[in-house]
Amino acid sequence: MSEPSLTLLMPVLNGMPFLPETLESIERQDYKNWEILVWDNGSTDGTLEELHRWIPSRLPGRVISGEPLKLGPSLARLVLEAKTELCARIDADDVLYPHRLGMQVAFMQQHPEAGVLGTEVEFIDSKGAIRPHITPYSTQDADLRWLVRWLNPICHPTVMFRRSIILEAGNYRDLKPFEDHDLWFRVSLISELANLPEVLLKYRQHSASTMGQANSKYHTYFDAMAELNADLLFTGFSPQDAMDLRGKAIRDAEVRVALADLASYRRAAVTTAVAVGKPKTYFRSTKAYGMFHKEMIRNYLLQYGLVKTIMTARHRMLSKSE
């Protein structure tokens, strides 16, 4: 296959002292047909000076400065500035494995239906110590497009995407720190999503990083994304009904689940699959669908005190069989 050109997109605000390691990892990429666009959002720690030591003399590309923006708007501007169809995200404190770009380009060439492609990650701290990602990301489109209604199933700095799809979906919005989750959801309405199972990025988490600061509020941001897009969450459901159904599929002792809700959950999966041009069973056959379905059944049984009754009956049956 040919080697299409691509653009690396990096927004940055005070990227030192991790920026040099990130730039070195970009320089070491096996895949060479790329340029980097950096949008500086008002750095005061030597970031601009470091960037100009690398770009364009060692790394082909441009540094855009003098117009500091918030994260979402700076990402949107980078997408608009890019001249290539394929774009890849990278943050100024993460580290790319040398074969990241090549593997992602190969997948995107082989799967034209995919609009956004992430990868598996491992986490590193401020000193570079590695901590594996113990809950691997789903890799299949059906799982990802169902999960995205409840949580963010794609790691932002690992992503490669098609610029045309991002623009069709409406581009990034000013929604830090869930501007990525919001975008993936809107992309899921018009294009497939995917993750590679290979670890291709060292994702740095530290006190000054966006997600380092947001860790304790993940679910608050997941809920905010859903509320913002409630009118699109499940095809054929009003925003209020969609949010009610979403809440009932999450373990919460205070949320009451009726048998009719189980039927509504099934209907939501069917109508939403048809709306994106997939078979009626597309979402219902996934692990993600089954996981939330089991939570709803468990909540239903718990509120009527039936879990203990069922467990006792099961124990008696097992005792008799022995």
Side-chain angles (χ1 to χ4, degrees), residues 25-302:
S25 74
I26 295 172
E27 187 178 42
R28 291 196 303 267
Q29 288 300 294
D30 296 337
Y31 194 86
K32 300 300 183 183
N33 192 11
W34 52 264
E35 70 169 2
I36 183 170
L37 288 182
V38 182
W39 193 284
D40 180 74
N41 287 310
S43 298
T44 58
D45 66 344
T47 287
L48 267 176
E49 292 79 2
E50 185 66 22
L51 287 169
H52 287 305
R53 278 192 282 271
W54 288 79
I55 302 168
S57 60
R58 291 176 64 176
L59 306 179
R62 289 187 293 142
V63 178
I64 303 169
S65 61
E67 190 180 346
L69 298 170
K70 294 180 180 179
L71 179 59
S74 69
L75 283 164
R77 288 290 297 273
L78 282 169
V79 173
L80 293 174
E81 289 285 337
K83 304 302 181 185
T84 61
E85 171 66 347
L86 290 181
C87 297
R89 277 282 291 111
I90 180 66
D91 285 334
D93 55 357
D94 298 327
V95 180
L96 290 71
Y97 278 100
H99 45 293
R100 174 194 160 179
L101 296 181
M103 290 189 69
Q104 288 188 290
V105 168
F107 182 95
M108 295 297 266
Q109 286 185 298
Q110 295 164 10
H111 298 273
E113 70 280 3
V116 172
L117 171 66
T119 80
E120 191 52 76
V121 301
E122 58 190 6
F123 299 107
I124 55 175
D125 61 19
S126 58
K127 296 180 180 180
I130 293 175
R131 177 171 58 85
H133 184 209
I134 60 175
T135 307
Y137 290 110
S138 298
T139 60
Q140 300 302 310
D141 173 65
D143 269 306
L144 293 169
R145 286 166 100 174
W146 194 243
L147 281 171
V148 77
R149 290 164 166 79
W150 281 271
L151 51 82
N152 188 350
I154 300 176
C155 182
H156 194 187
T158 72
V159 158
M160 182 174 288
F161 54 65
R162 300 186 197 279
R163 180 176 179 271
S164 59
I165 293 295
I166 298 303
L167 292 175
E168 183 181 348
N171 211 341
Y172 286 95
R173 299 195 281 191
D174 183 12
L175 296 170
K176 182 181 178 180
F178 62 94
E179 72 288 330
D180 55 334
H181 188 189
D182 167 70
L183 182 55
W184 310 155
F185 172 73
R186 287 183 282 116
V187 167
S188 77
L189 303 177
I190 59 174
S191 178
E192 294 195 6
L193 308 176
N195 277 319
L196 293 176
E198 291 84 5
V199 175
L200 297 178
L201 183 89
K202 295 181 180 180
Y203 185 17
R204 198 181 304 271
Q205 291 186 317
H206 53 94
S207 59
S209 67
T210 298
M211 293 318 295
Q213 298 170 7
N215 268 342
S216 63
K217 299 181 179 179
Y218 272 148
H219 289 284
T220 299
Y221 300 131
F222 297 159
D223 294 344
M225 190 291 302
E227 185 71 40
L228 183 65
N229 294 286
D231 58 328
L232 301 171
L233 210 55
F234 302 114
T235 302
F237 285 69
S238 70
Q240 185 59 57
D241 288 344
M243 288 301 293
D244 287 346
L245 181 60
R246 179 183 178 275
K248 289 174 181 179
I250 300 172
R251 182 178 299 182
D252 187 342
E254 297 181 1
V255 176
R256 298 187 66 83
V257 177
L259 288 176
D261 295 322
L262 295 171
S264 292
Y265 180 69
R266 181 182 184 279
R267 178 166 61 88
V270 170
T271 58
T272 303
V274 172
V276 296
K278 298 296 184 182
K280 292 181 178 180
T281 58
Y282 194 65
F283 295 130
R284 288 172 50 215
S285 62
T286 65
K287 291 181 179 179
Y289 177 91
M291 175 180 68
F292 292 121
H293 189 250
K294 287 179 181 177
E295 285 301 325
M296 293 183 74
I297 293 174
R298 182 181 182 278
N299 285 351
Y300 175 78
L301 295 175
L302 276 174

